[in-house]
Amino acid sequence: MAADGEPIVIKFAHVVADDTPKGKGALLFKQLVEQRMAGKVTVEVYPNSTLVGDAEEMQALFDNKVQLLAPSMSKFAPYTKKLQVFDLPFLFDDAEALQRFQKREAARQLLRSMADHGVYGLAYWNNGLKQLSATTALRKPSDASGLAFRIQPSPVLEAQFAAVGAKSVVLPFAKVYESLKGGVVQGAENPWSNILSQNMHSVQPYITETNHGVLDYMLITNNDFWLSMPFAVRSELEGIILEVTQAVNREAAAVNRRDRERILASGSSQLITLTPEERQAWRDQMLPVWKSYEAEIGADLIRAAMTVNRRR
C-alpha cells in the first residue's frame, strides 16, 4: 500500500503490443482510473514484456512487483487444473459461445479457483479464436505430422498437437517471431491480432483458418494486495474493470476481423479455408484430448461449456 496521502500504484504488465485487444484494454484501464480516481490510484502499463516476461510474470505478481496481469489460461495449470477447459480444442463453436459460457455460474466460479494460491481473478478478457500458421499448407490433420509448433506451457496444448503427429515447443511469446523465422519451430497457433501485431505472417506462408481453440486471458491480481485496499477503492476499480472488460471483448472481435483482412491483403500468407468436412476431420482427430483431461478438468465443467454451442 502507498504511504498516507500518496496514491496507490498499480503496475499492469503484459507481453503483447499496445495495439492488441489486451494492450488497448490495459491503456483504457489506466485512462479511466486516472480520470475518475485521480490522487487515489495511479496505473503504470508495461507492454511487450518490458517489465517482466512470460516466464517471470506470475512470480512477480506473488512478490508484489506487479499488481495486475492478464495471462492466458494456459499459465494457470500449476494452480488449478479446471482452467484447462479453455485449452481444449474445438470445444467452442465460435466466439459468441465462449462469451455465453463466461457469463454462466460455472465460469464465474473459476475466477476464484486459484484463491488458495493467492491469485484473485477479476475478469475474462478475450483475444479471439486461434488459427494454425505453418511453413507448409495444413488442410488435413496428417499435414501437421512431424512439424514443430510453438505452444504456451500447457499439457493440453501439447496433447492437442501430439494427436495430429506434431511436436510442440514451449516458448515465451516475445521469442515466437524469431523462432519461426529461424526455423526453431515451423508453426504456431494464434488469433489474427497476435499474428499481425508480431509480424508472424511474414515468416509463415500458410495460415489455416481452423478456429480450433480460444486465446483467452484472465485479468488477475495478488489477493493480499487487492484486499488490502479500502473497500470503496476496490469497488470503484471493479466497476472500471467491468466497463473495460466489455470494451476489450468488443474490440477483440473487431480487431481480429480487421487484422485478418490486413494479413490477406499483405499477400505474405496464403489462406486455407477448410470445408465443414475438413474441419470436422481435425476435430475428430483432436477429440480424444477431451477424454484424457476429463478427470482433471471435470466432466461437469466440460458439459457446461458444451451447452453454450447452438449446434449441439
Side-chain angles (χ1 to χ4, degrees):
M1 288 297 294
D4 288 346
E6 294 295 318
I8 298 165
V9 177
I10 295 177
K11 294 182 180 180
F12 189 160
H14 62 81
V15 300
V16 296
D18 280 332
D19 60 352
T20 60
K22 187 198 297 188
K24 291 182 177 182
L27 293 175
L28 178 59
F29 176 72
K30 173 182 172 67
Q31 176 190 332
L32 295 182
V33 167
E34 295 186 351
Q35 281 177 358
R36 300 174 188 177
M37 305 182 72
K40 291 190 287 187
V41 180
T42 298
V43 178
E44 299 174 2
V45 175
Y46 298 89
N48 270 327
S49 304
T50 50
L51 183 61
V52 290
D54 261 346
E56 303 86 28
E57 62 179 5
M58 290 301 295
Q59 189 59 50
L61 186 79
F62 296 139
D63 294 341
N64 203 32
K65 293 177 181 176
V66 299
Q67 289 73 45
L68 274 184
L69 297 173
S72 65
M73 299 299 179
S74 302
K75 288 288 185 66
F76 300 131
Y79 316 109
T80 176
K81 301 301 183 184
K82 291 187 177 298
L83 285 169
Q84 293 179 129
V85 70
F86 291 99
D87 280 341
L88 291 176
F90 294 100
L91 181 59
F92 299 105
D93 285 345
D94 49 39
E96 290 73 23
L98 170 65
Q99 292 196 43
R100 286 194 294 273
F101 175 64
Q102 289 170 346
K103 294 174 183 176
R104 301 248 174 125
E105 181 60 26
R108 290 197 295 270
Q109 289 177 1
L110 291 177
L111 290 172
R112 301 291 179 263
S113 61
M114 296 178 285
D116 290 347
H117 296 275
V119 179
Y120 193 97
L122 293 162
Y124 293 108
W125 284 12
N126 305 147
N127 196 31
L129 300 178
K130 293 188 289 188
Q131 320 304 334
L132 289 177
S133 65
T135 53
T136 189
L138 303 176
R139 187 169 289 280
K140 305 183 301 295
S142 59
D143 294 334
S145 181
L147 299 181
F149 288 82
R150 178 266 173 175
I151 64 166
Q152 301 177 80
S154 163
V156 176
L157 297 182
E158 187 175 346
Q160 166 190 280
F161 283 109
V164 295
K167 304 171 187 176
S168 46
V169 180
V170 175
L171 290 169
F173 187 70
K175 294 184 178 180
V176 177
Y177 171 79
E178 289 300 331
S179 298
L180 290 168
K181 184 178 180 181
V184 175
V185 290
Q186 293 80 54
E189 54 169 10
N190 283 284
W192 294 105
S193 61
N194 279 9
I195 295 171
L196 183 71
S197 69
Q198 299 298 313
N199 203 32
M200 294 180 202
H201 58 294
S202 68
V203 290
Q204 296 277 264
Y206 299 96
I207 301 175
T208 303
E209 195 166 25
T210 50
N211 292 320
H212 66 279
V214 301
L215 183 56
D216 220 26
Y217 308 121
M218 186 186 287
L219 184 67
I220 60 171
T221 187
N222 178 305
N223 192 69
D224 290 341
F225 166 77
W226 196 254
L227 297 180
S228 71
M229 287 187 289
F231 176 78
V233 171
R234 280 205 318 273
S235 295
E236 196 166 358
L237 287 171
E238 287 169 356
I240 291 172
I241 286 169
L242 177 59
E243 187 175 336
V244 172
T245 297
Q246 292 168 343
V248 166
N249 293 342
R250 287 194 302 270
E251 178 74 5
V255 167
N256 277 290
R257 287 194 297 269
R258 181 201 70 191
D259 288 354
R260 177 185 184 276
E261 296 310 311
R262 288 181 175 181
I263 289 168
L264 298 184
S266 74
S268 60
S269 300
Q270 178 183 333
L271 176 68
I272 298 173
T273 302
L274 301 178
T275 66
E277 294 76 18
E278 288 170 334
R279 188 173 185 271
Q280 186 63 40
W282 283 88
R283 186 174 185 272
D284 290 345
Q285 193 76 21
M286 292 181 174
L287 205 57
V289 176
W290 292 22
K291 194 67 177 175
S292 300
Y293 286 89
E294 185 178 77
E296 287 188 7
I297 295 169
D300 289 347
L301 183 58
I302 294 173
R303 280 195 293 271
M306 290 178 62
T307 61
V308 299
N309 292 315
R310 297 189 189 281
R311 293 189 293 275
R312 291 186 211 151

